[in-house]
Amino acid sequence: MTTRYKTKAFIFKKKEINESNRNFSVFTEEFGRMEIFAKAIRKNASKLRNGVDIFNLSEIEFIQGRNRKTLTDAVAIEKFSTIPQDLEKFKIANAVGEVLEDFIKGEEKDREIFNLLRETFSRLNNQNAEKGRRARIYYYFLWNILSLLGYKPEVDKCATCRSNLNPLDIYFSNKSGGVICKKCLNHDNAARKINSDVAKVLRLILKKDWQTISRIKVGPSSQKLLEDISDTAVHFFCPAHC
Ligand SMILES: [Zn+2]
């Protein structure tokens, strides 16, 4: 008899296979990342059609075949319906999907990553703030998932010599593992000068203090710095060399 598995899943990528089939990349509560084949889902009469779509959280049921998992049932739990209607939100959701795609390859259950995704998508769905503040939803996700994957940066002391930081003269180094002081700058020629606002945002993100992060003012130059060090971290740690 075929065993049917049931779990909650975030759909972060969809790929059309041919005229009627689709493949979904999902992050599930019970099994971590998986690829699921959805047969005949593009046909109008498909009962699966309404239950799974990109950036939905769905309850899915599947069977494990020799070469692939096939979707047998799906019910959407949360559709996060404002995301596809808003280009900026859609871009952020895509960026989250790309991080999952590049950083998580094998199946491994991770409830904390699952919860982080749930928190990120709900926040994105409900957020009506302006662009700069919305981007913080992505940075919150990014630095917290990097931490869960073992790349948590040091932000309270110099990551190299452990001395206290002078907030007026600080740098960020992925190679050294976080914020470093001027004396330690020679350990990494790719280190980037940052400022105390960026260090503060990173500290709040790693403390998961969303209340404060969503409220504080961050100037455009600090916002740009945050964007730069986040992009650099993705490239530095990406196992797929993305
Ligand atoms: Zn140092």
Side-chain angles (χ1 to χ4, degrees):
M1 206 191 122
T2 323
T3 316
R4 284 168 193 270
Y5 299 90
K6 217 175 191 181
T7 183
K8 292 191 179 85
F10 272 100
I11 293 90
F12 65 88
K13 202 175 156 193
K14 84 173 164 186
K15 198 172 148 199
E16 316 296 354
I17 304 292
N18 52 31
E19 274 168 33
S20 51
N21 306 328
R22 238 175 222 156
N23 204 71
F24 291 105
S25 299
V26 302
F27 195 91
T28 67
E29 189 172 32
E30 297 303 325
F31 312 99
R33 180 186 172 157
M34 295 189 319
E35 308 303 314
I36 300 249
F37 180 71
K39 197 172 168 57
I41 196 171
R42 299 180 69 189
K43 295 194 172 148
N44 283 331
S46 170
K47 67 181 169 92
L48 299 175
R49 226 175 127 105
N50 229 351
V52 273
D53 206 352
I54 187 87
F55 307 138
N56 284 178
L57 171 63
S58 299
E59 177 92 35
I60 61 163
E61 192 187 80
F62 64 92
I63 48 172
Q64 174 71 61
R66 192 186 297 207
N67 300 315
R68 68 187 179 199
K69 296 172 176 66
T70 303
L71 190 68
T72 50
D73 199 7
V75 177
I77 303 169
E78 285 176 56
K79 290 205 165 199
F80 305 111
S81 55
T82 73
I83 296 176
Q85 295 162 8
D86 180 318
L87 186 60
E88 198 58 41
K89 288 187 181 187
F90 195 73
K91 278 187 189 164
I92 295 173
N94 259 320
V96 168
E98 271 170 33
V99 171
L100 292 174
E101 170 71 16
D102 293 334
F103 279 79
I104 299 172
K105 292 298 178 192
E107 259 177 53
E108 198 183 329
K109 177 175 174 172
D110 192 318
R111 199 56 71 85
E112 284 186 272
I113 293 180
F114 184 83
N115 291 338
L116 178 63
L117 282 169
R118 187 166 202 161
E119 189 181 22
T120 302
F121 278 90
S122 302
R123 203 167 272 158
L124 193 56
N125 192 46
N126 300 326
Q127 175 69 259
N128 290 311
E130 80 274 27
K131 204 173 151 183
R133 276 170 207 257
R134 274 188 192 174
R136 289 179 208 170
I137 297 174
Y138 171 72
Y139 300 128
Y140 181 101
F141 164 78
L142 177 69
W143 290 100
N144 277 301
I145 196 168
L146 286 177
S147 298
L148 290 170
L149 294 170
Y151 309 121
K152 185 175 184 172
E154 171 62 67
V155 286
D156 295 317
K157 284 178 180 311
C158 170
T160 301
C161 72
R162 317 292 306 159
S163 63
N164 289 329
L165 296 161
N166 167 6
L168 296 174
D169 207 4
I170 49 176
Y171 303 81
F172 194 87
S173 160
N174 289 306
K175 191 178 159 195
S176 310
V179 180
I180 57 169
C181 72
K182 193 174 189 169
K183 277 187 292 172
C184 296
L185 200 50
N186 56 357
H187 293 273
D188 178 10
N189 51 21
R192 179 82 203 256
K193 192 171 196 319
I194 59 164
N195 62 33
S196 55
D197 279 354
V198 173
K200 184 178 165 188
V201 173
L202 285 176
R203 260 176 227 129
L204 290 166
I205 285 176
L206 296 169
K207 272 204 272 174
K208 297 193 155 193
D209 182 355
W210 178 254
Q211 287 288 11
T212 313
I213 301 162
S214 62
R215 283 194 204 128
I216 52 167
K217 276 201 180 357
V218 177
S221 60
S222 302
Q223 211 137 265
K224 182 78 179 73
L225 271 177
L226 184 62
E227 190 183 318
D228 287 350
I229 61 161
S230 300
D231 288 349
T232 323
V234 169
H235 291 294
F236 188 85
F237 293 114
C238 179
H241 302 288
C242 37

